[in-house]
């Protein structure tokens, strides 16, 4: 048996290749939408992809099952409770898919979603009666369990799913041998749980000992515990969960439409017609100069997650990027099902060199500069765009708190006749916030360089207004 993990850090997503040397066949579990790496590896290993498993309908990304099916003819396998537009093989407890000396056995493990499954991997040549590993999808993570509240908006309550999750964990997964390797679909940074570890592999025994949600408690206590204090899910989660059920265009087909070079005139025409112009350069580069009314979402951060949060799924998207970054910017949007990219500005910011009237800048202030301003008779209003849990660890005195994912809906709470200085933890989200504020007509806005982390580290003890 061959087993390989693929970890996509920007989405905190893990997918897996399970191959069999004897038969030359392979299965891919929870694939990401850009699938070239699976083909590169299976070709090098002399394998052919014949099986594609989704442990559930993922909400935080669009899976690559359609892409793999289209390119190989592989069959798609889903839990028996799943409903989808495309043809698939429904599997239930005890079903086994065997290829050569490798077998994948299905456990139905609903809770994160109703159709959730886990997969036991057996190396039949080594020990046909004992699983080597279990792929748990979003049912059991390292350090956490899947949140049961994401499906509440489509008719299944969090309490119902929480009860299912408790049973799946205690009756199915915790019944496995302690040395069974545990491979989940997500790690730290995912919003599919609240305490996910950064470790990429564990064992059932280690989780039995150390996972807070697996400690002895009643089902009612468990439901209360796992439904409390979950991070607010981005709006695109429901969209992606539905898209993973649907027959749709492949990522390659989408990128053929998205990777179109646009002139400045075409870009401005699209913008005036309602297109969302997204500048994917760093916050510092954006601050130095950008196209008026564009939004900054840096490619070198949680780009897809925040794009899915602050952009809408209706109006076309036009990208502004450094040369060579256009394809990655469009592809990472495609990973979350944002296929409505109309193109990118040809030449990037150089296209604006002869048009200074179209340029805008965004001010950045240092910790020392903020301290000086706060000591003045008319201090600025400090806007904290971090998540609620982050703010609980500390905040600037008299600051206003509006999480970034709520900013667009709460602009009326902010004064337009007072200077605003925006901060997050390190500067990535505040750059997005400043661009949204300037797009909404706020003129006197600045970004705290380095965010709250820099303030905590470097704030001066005494400041005077100059």
């Amino acid at each position: 048996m061959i087993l390989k993990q693929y970890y996509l850090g920007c989405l905190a997503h893990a997918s897996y290749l399970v191959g069999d040397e004897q038969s030359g066949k392979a299965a891919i579990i929870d694939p990401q939408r850009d699938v070239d790496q699976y083909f590169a590896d299976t070709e090098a290993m002399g394998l052919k992809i014949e099986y594609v498993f989704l442990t559930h309908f993922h909400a935080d990304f669009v899976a690559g099952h359609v892409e793999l099916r289209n390119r190989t003819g592989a069959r798609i396998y889903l839990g028996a409770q799943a409903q989808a537009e495309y043809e698939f093989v429904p599997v239930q407890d005890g079903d086994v898919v065997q290829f050569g000396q490798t077998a994948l056995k299905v456990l139905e493990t609903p809770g994160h979603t109703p159709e959730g499954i886990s997969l036991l991997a057996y190396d039949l040549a080594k020990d046909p009666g004992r699983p080597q590993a279990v792929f748990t999808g979003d049912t059991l993570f390292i350090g956490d369990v899947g949140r049961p509240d994401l499906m509440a908006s489509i008719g299944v309550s969090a309490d119902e799913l929480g009860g299912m999750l408790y049973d799946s964990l205690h009756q199915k997964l915790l019944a496995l041998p302690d040395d069974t390797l545990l491979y989940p679909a997500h790690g730290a940074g995912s919003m599919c749980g609240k305490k996910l570890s950064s470790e990429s592999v564990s064992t059932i025994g280690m989780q039995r000992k150390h996972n807070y949600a697996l400690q002895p408690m009643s089902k009612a206590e468990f439901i209360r515990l796992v439904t409390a204090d979950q991070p607010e899910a981005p709006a695109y989660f429901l969209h992606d969960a539905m898209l993973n059920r649907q027959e749709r265009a492949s990522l390659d087909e989408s990128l053929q439409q998205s990777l179109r070079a646009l002139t400045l005139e075409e870009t401005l025409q699209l913008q005036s017609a309602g297109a969302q112009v997204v500048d994917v350069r760093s916050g510092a580069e954006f601050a130095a100069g950008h196209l008026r009314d564009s939004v900054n979402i840096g490619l070198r951060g949680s780009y897809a997650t925040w794009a899915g949060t602050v952009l809408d799924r209706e109006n076309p998207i036009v990208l502004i990027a450094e040369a060579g970054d256009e394809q990655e910017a469009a592809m990472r949007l495609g990973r979350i099902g944002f296929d409505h990219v109309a193109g990118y500005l040809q030449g990037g910011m150089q296209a604006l060199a002869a048009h200074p009237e179209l340029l805008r800048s965004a001010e950045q202030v240092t910790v020392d500069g903020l301290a000086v301003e706060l000591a003045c008779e008319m201090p600025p209003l400090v806007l904290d765009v971090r998540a609620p849990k982050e703010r609980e660890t500390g905040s600037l005195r008299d600051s206003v708190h509006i999480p970034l994912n709520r900013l667009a809906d709460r602009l009326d709470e902010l004064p337009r006749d007072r200077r605003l200085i925006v901060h997050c933890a390190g500067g990535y989200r505040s750059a997005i916030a400043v661009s949204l504020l300037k797009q909404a007509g706020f003129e006197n806005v600045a970004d705290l360089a380095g965010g709250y982390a820099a303030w905590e580290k470097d704030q001066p003890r005494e400041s005077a207004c100059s």
Side-chain angles (χ1 to χ4, degrees), residues 110-405:
H112 177 65
T113 64
E115 78 289 343
I117 59 173
S118 298
L119 297 167
L120 297 174
Y122 290 84
D123 189 334
L124 302 178
K126 184 178 292 186
D127 188 342
R130 194 176 186 88
Q132 301 295 309
V134 59
F135 303 97
T136 55
D138 287 16
T139 300
L140 175 58
F141 297 124
I142 300 171
D144 204 350
V145 295
R147 59 190 295 179
D149 62 316
L150 291 181
M151 300 295 291
S153 62
I154 57 173
V156 187
S157 75
D159 284 356
E160 287 177 291
L161 284 169
M164 295 180 196
L165 183 62
Y166 182 88
D167 292 339
S168 294
L169 294 166
H170 289 269
Q171 296 174 14
K172 306 284 182 68
L173 296 176
L174 289 177
L176 297 174
D178 277 351
D179 62 353
T180 307
L181 295 173
L182 168 65
Y183 291 105
H186 289 294
S190 169
M191 291 188 181
C192 293
K194 54 187 175 182
K195 293 186 178 180
L196 282 73
S197 169
S198 59
E199 297 295 320
S200 61
V201 60
S202 184
T203 64
I204 291 294
M206 288 296 290
Q207 293 310 297
R208 194 191 311 276
K209 288 181 181 179
H210 301 296
N211 191 315
Y212 78 97
L214 301 184
Q215 303 314 301
M217 68 186 80
S218 69
K219 183 183 289 190
E221 290 173 316
F222 173 85
I223 293 171
R224 284 195 295 271
L225 182 66
V226 299
T227 54
D229 300 323
Q230 290 287 0
E232 186 174 359
Y236 78 89
F237 271 31
L238 180 59
H239 169 69
D240 281 14
M242 300 306 295
L243 200 56
N244 279 320
R245 295 166 163 80
Q246 297 170 359
E247 190 64 63
R248 55 166 175 77
S250 70
L251 181 60
D252 286 343
E253 291 170 327
S254 171
L255 291 178
Q256 286 179 5
Q257 303 297 319
S258 299
L259 293 173
R260 186 166 69 94
L262 302 170
T263 65
L264 178 59
E265 182 180 2
E266 289 173 319
T267 297
L268 294 175
Q269 288 175 348
L270 283 166
Q271 187 181 41
S272 65
Q276 306 166 95
V277 178
V278 181
D279 189 324
V280 305
R281 297 174 302 147
S282 71
E285 291 170 313
F286 181 85
H290 57 266
L291 177 64
R292 66 188 182 195
D293 294 332
S294 57
V295 175
N296 177 226
I297 309 175
L299 190 59
R300 309 298 178 223
S302 298
Y303 166 74
T305 298
W306 283 110
T309 300
V310 304
L311 303 178
D312 67 56
R313 297 189 302 277
E314 305 301 325
N315 292 305
I317 296 170
V318 175
L319 299 169
I320 297 178
E322 295 286 354
D325 283 345
E326 301 91 352
Q327 180 164 352
E328 183 181 357
M331 181 267 292
R332 288 174 63 181
L333 290 177
R335 284 176 177 161
I336 62 165
F338 274 49
D339 292 345
H340 51 298
V341 176
Y344 61 91
L345 175 60
Q346 188 171 26
M349 288 301 296
Q350 291 184 0
L352 292 164
H355 297 277
E357 74 280 5
L358 300 177
L359 285 173
R360 300 292 183 270
S361 61
E363 183 184 355
Q364 292 189 313
V365 298
T366 64
V367 166
D368 287 342
L370 175 58
V372 168
E373 291 197 50
L374 291 176
C376 292
E377 184 177 346
M378 296 291 290
L381 178 65
V382 176
L383 172 62
D384 181 351
V385 296
R386 295 175 298 165
K389 280 291 183 183
E390 293 175 282
R391 186 170 171 86
E392 290 176 8
T393 66
S395 62
L396 274 75
R397 188 176 63 188
D398 297 329
S399 61
V400 171
H401 180 228
I402 302 178
L404 177 55
N405 64 320

Side-chain angles (χ1 to χ4, degrees), residues 12-39:
H13 163 227
S15 57
Y16 300 91
L17 180 156
V18 179
D20 179 74
E21 289 183 341
Q22 182 190 76
S23 65
K25 297 179 181 180
I28 306 295
I29 301 170
D30 291 331
Q32 62 192 67
R33 194 178 180 194
D34 45 314
V35 296
D36 286 348
Q37 70 274 24
Y38 308 124
F39 289 105

Side-chain angles (χ1 to χ4, degrees), residues 87-117:
E87 182 179 347
F88 66 93
V89 179
V91 291
Q92 56 190 354
D93 263 335
D95 285 351
V96 176
V97 176
Q98 181 176 339
F99 39 110
Q101 293 296 304
T102 298
L104 294 174
K105 183 178 180 179
V106 176
L107 296 177
E108 289 186 272
T109 51
H112 177 65
T113 64
E115 78 289 343
I117 59 173

